[in-house]
Amino acid sequence: KAPSFRLASRAVNALRAGEPIHAYEGLAQSSLILVSVPRQAQDHTISELASSALDWRSRPVVVLDTAKESDALKPLTNRGAAVATLQLVNVGDVLAIEGHQEAIRQMQLVVDPAARRAMQTIRTGGKSRLLAGVHEATQGFLPVIVSVTDHFRAAGLSKQQSENLAQALVTGSMRSYFRAGRRVLAEKDE
C-alpha cells in the first residue's frame, strides 16, 4: 500500500515481492505487515492503518526506522496488533528489533539468513537507550576529540601530529576498556 497504486506497483517491482493494493483491507491475508514511510508520515500512516477494517488481533506489524518504541504505537497496540520496531544501526549493518515476540518471530522468518544474524533483539522500552548510545558513539564524543586535538595543537604539534596522537590514544583507551571493562576506570583513578 502506498499513497498511490502506481507507487505501490513500483515498490512491489523493486522488492520483487508482494502485490500492490488499493486499500489497507487488501492486507487481510498478509502474515506480516511492514511499515516503511518517512518519519514525518509515520503517525498519520499508523493512524490510517489502525482505522482500517482489518482484524488486528495478534496481527504482526513491524515499523521500520522509527525513533518510537513499539508500545508507543498506540493506535495499533490498542487494536490488538503485535507491534515491533526495526532500526538499522549504522555500524556493521546491525538491525535492532524490539517489541511483541510474535512480530519479532515473523520478521525473523521473512528475512534472509545474513539479515537474521545481524538482527539483535533488544528489550521493549530499550530503544531510547539504544539510540542514545548510538548518538554518543557516533556524535557525542566528537567535541572531546576536537578539544584533545586543540590541546595538542596549542602545545605546538601540527594538525596531522595532533590527529595521529589523538587517534592512537583513543584507540588505546578503547582497547583497554574492551579488555578490562569498567575496571579500567578505577585503574586510571589510582
Side-chain angles (χ1 to χ4, degrees):
K1 168 77 174 88
S4 73
F5 188 75
R6 183 174 178 201
L7 190 55
S9 294
R10 278 195 215 154
V12 165
N13 290 337
L15 292 170
R16 294 189 176 116
E19 51 187 76
I21 57 172
H22 291 281
Y24 288 116
E25 288 73 19
L27 297 171
Q29 299 304 312
S30 300
S31 59
L32 172 67
I33 296 173
L34 298 178
V35 178
S36 178
V37 295
R39 285 190 179 178
Q40 63 270 21
Q42 286 176 351
D43 288 340
H44 176 72
T45 303
I46 297 297
S47 292
E48 261 189 353
L49 196 53
S51 297
S52 72
L54 289 170
D55 177 7
W56 287 104
R57 292 174 298 203
S58 300
R59 183 177 296 277
V61 178
V62 177
V63 181
L64 308 177
D65 189 35
T66 182
K68 295 181 179 189
E69 308 275 346
S70 59
D71 47 356
L73 300 166
K74 295 288 186 212
L76 289 170
T77 57
N78 289 345
R79 297 276 317 268
V83 180
T85 67
L86 183 68
Q87 183 75 39
L88 175 66
V89 178
N90 295 340
V91 179
D93 294 330
V94 171
L95 296 166
I97 191 166
E98 63 82 35
H100 193 277
Q101 287 303 311
E102 179 58 17
I104 293 171
R105 188 180 74 73
Q106 286 293 325
M107 188 67 197
Q108 289 171 334
L109 289 173
V110 300
V111 297
D112 67 53
R116 193 174 314 120
R117 284 189 296 278
M119 199 177 295
Q120 304 294 315
T121 302
I122 60 174
R123 69 175 178 76
T124 301
K127 190 171 195 176
S128 60
R129 292 299 297 268
L130 174 82
L131 294 177
V134 168
H135 175 76
E136 285 182 25
T138 58
Q139 301 296 314
F141 77 97
L142 293 178
V144 174
I145 301 298
V146 169
S147 175
V148 167
T149 56
D150 286 350
H151 285 303
F152 295 159
R153 294 291 307 271
L157 295 178
S158 71
K159 180 180 184 302
Q160 187 65 48
Q161 290 169 323
S162 297
E163 290 172 356
N164 289 343
L165 181 56
Q167 182 178 15
L169 291 169
V170 169
T171 302
S173 294
M174 286 174 45
R175 208 175 289 124
S176 294
Y177 173 78
F178 291 123
R179 251 185 265 140
R182 291 179 180 260
R183 290 189 318 261
V184 76
L185 296 173
E187 292 169 9
K188 299 278 184 192
D189 292 339
E190 295 171 355

